[in-house]
Amino acid sequence: MILEKLGAMPRPRTSETAVVNAPVETPDEVRSKERDVALANAVSRGDELYIVMDLGGTKAYVSLMTRDAKSLYDKKFLTQSHNDEDRLLEFIRMCIRGPIDRIHGLTGMKPKDVERRIKAIGIAFPGPTDFAAGVALDASNFGIKNFHLADRVRDTFDIETFVDNDVNLGVWGEAWKGAAHGYENVVGIMIGTGIGGGIIINGQIFSGRNKTSGEIGPMIVKLDSDIQCGCRQFGCFEALASRKSMARDLHRRKLKQGLDGMMWAEETLLSNEIAGYY
């Protein structure tokens, strides 16, 4: 029935058709025999291993990496429990257990022995953070404040844990191995569920006095806007140009055209879908 309905849909004329390479959706778990062998070899050699987590407003990614950032294991999750510290912590714990369980499954080592082989855990948090204290200070897409995330994760796994702003770390990663490699002073803007910015000066992340340097998402760019951001202001850069705002606007336009199916629901319009339609 679905195929019949798709076949009945009007097609664009050939002259209006453009071929594009839409982004490919990342699989939930990246696995291969070669990666399993590389992971088992890294463990047997005693390589320094790190668990890193990118906690986004919509998705979370966990990787097991070597010191030089070679990825040995990757898994994607849909972010859960935005407004409850304890439930969010349990979600983070569950994600971090993924690579530990994978090593256990490959090598037969006990989970506690695996934990002792992990050098550190790093978490990229989508909001202002106090890196020295390991505290997530705030986030417009999460209903939590002053969350002592590093201590609580460290208490669970007994592994040294670090927390910093996700865009700060993303920009620092670009300076280390990406588009800004070789530059000492960098400003980066990243657009996802929200909008964030990061600043690097003399090769070091610049956080500023209030730990919010580079946080351009809450910057008001339209004074007469009636669109409210998660930060409670109206007319913010993030409220008008983030992935969430694109999904909201696209959903409303489709409703006006009489298209109210799940395909155009706000929660369905994630980054890959929007880019693919574009």
Side-chain angles (χ1 to χ4, degrees):
M1 183 178 70
I2 293 173
L3 290 173
E4 289 176 0
K5 287 184 177 295
L6 288 173
M9 290 177 65
R11 307 278 182 174
R13 293 192 299 273
T14 303
S15 60
E16 297 175 348
T17 301
V19 178
V20 298
N21 291 320
V24 177
E25 178 70 16
T26 305
D28 288 346
E29 187 172 25
V30 180
R31 292 272 301 277
S32 69
K33 183 177 180 180
E34 291 75 17
R35 285 168 67 88
D36 284 349
V37 170
L39 175 53
N41 288 340
V43 173
S44 66
R45 289 193 303 265
D47 294 355
E48 287 189 2
L49 300 175
Y50 300 81
I51 294 176
V52 294
M53 180 176 187
D54 178 13
L55 178 64
T58 303
K59 299 173 185 176
Y61 296 87
V62 172
S63 293
L64 182 72
M65 291 188 170
T66 62
R67 186 175 182 84
D68 64 351
K70 179 182 178 182
S71 178
L72 300 172
Y73 171 93
D74 300 284
K75 191 166 184 178
K76 178 181 70 176
F77 304 84
L78 292 179
T79 303
Q80 302 172 17
S81 306
H82 291 70
N83 301 314
D84 184 294
E85 284 188 7
D86 291 333
R87 292 177 63 194
L88 178 61
L89 177 64
E90 188 53 42
F91 169 70
I92 292 170
R93 287 168 173 163
M94 180 267 293
C95 295
I96 291 173
R97 287 190 186 101
I100 294 173
D101 290 344
R102 188 70 198 127
I103 294 176
H104 165 68
L106 280 175
T107 66
M109 293 174 61
K110 295 179 180 179
K112 279 297 178 185
D113 291 335
V114 175
E115 291 176 22
R116 283 191 278 268
R117 297 293 304 277
I118 305 299
K119 185 75 173 179
I121 296 171
I123 301 174
F125 184 81
T129 61
D130 183 336
F131 172 76
V135 176
L137 300 174
D138 196 4
S140 60
N141 292 308
F142 288 83
I144 59 175
K145 290 181 181 293
N146 300 318
F147 183 26
H148 288 260
L149 181 55
D151 284 345
R152 297 191 69 178
V153 171
R154 190 182 299 116
D155 289 344
T156 301
F157 297 101
D158 196 24
I159 300 172
E160 192 66 25
T161 302
F162 302 90
V163 177
D164 205 346
N165 172 263
D166 57 349
V167 179
N168 283 348
L169 294 175
V171 175
W172 189 79
E174 292 293 343
W176 179 29
K177 288 186 174 287
H181 179 68
Y183 292 89
E184 289 290 310
N185 304 296
V186 182
V187 174
I189 297 173
M190 295 192 180
I191 301 178
T193 302
I195 293 180
I199 300 171
I200 292 177
I201 299 177
N202 296 328
Q204 299 295 320
I205 295 173
F206 179 71
S207 299
R209 183 182 62 185
N210 297 321
K211 318 298 183 186
T212 58
S213 179
E215 289 289 345
I216 59 172
M219 179 175 61
I220 297 174
V221 295
K222 190 174 182 182
L223 294 175
D224 60 348
S225 174
D226 61 352
I227 299 175
Q228 190 175 27
C229 182
C231 69
R232 306 304 181 195
Q233 299 183 118
F234 290 86
C236 292
F237 186 20
E238 182 168 306
L240 299 175
S242 66
R243 194 277 303 165
K244 287 182 70 174
S245 75
M246 295 179 194
R248 180 196 63 234
D249 293 345
L250 188 53
H251 169 70
R252 291 177 179 175
R253 292 187 185 203
K254 292 301 181 181
L255 279 181
K256 289 181 180 179
Q257 298 172 16
L259 302 172
D260 60 353
M262 191 63 192
M263 179 179 181
W264 301 112
E266 288 187 56
E267 62 270 22
T268 304
L269 294 166
L270 304 180
S271 298
N272 279 284
E273 284 71 30
I274 293 173
Y277 294 144
Y278 176 78

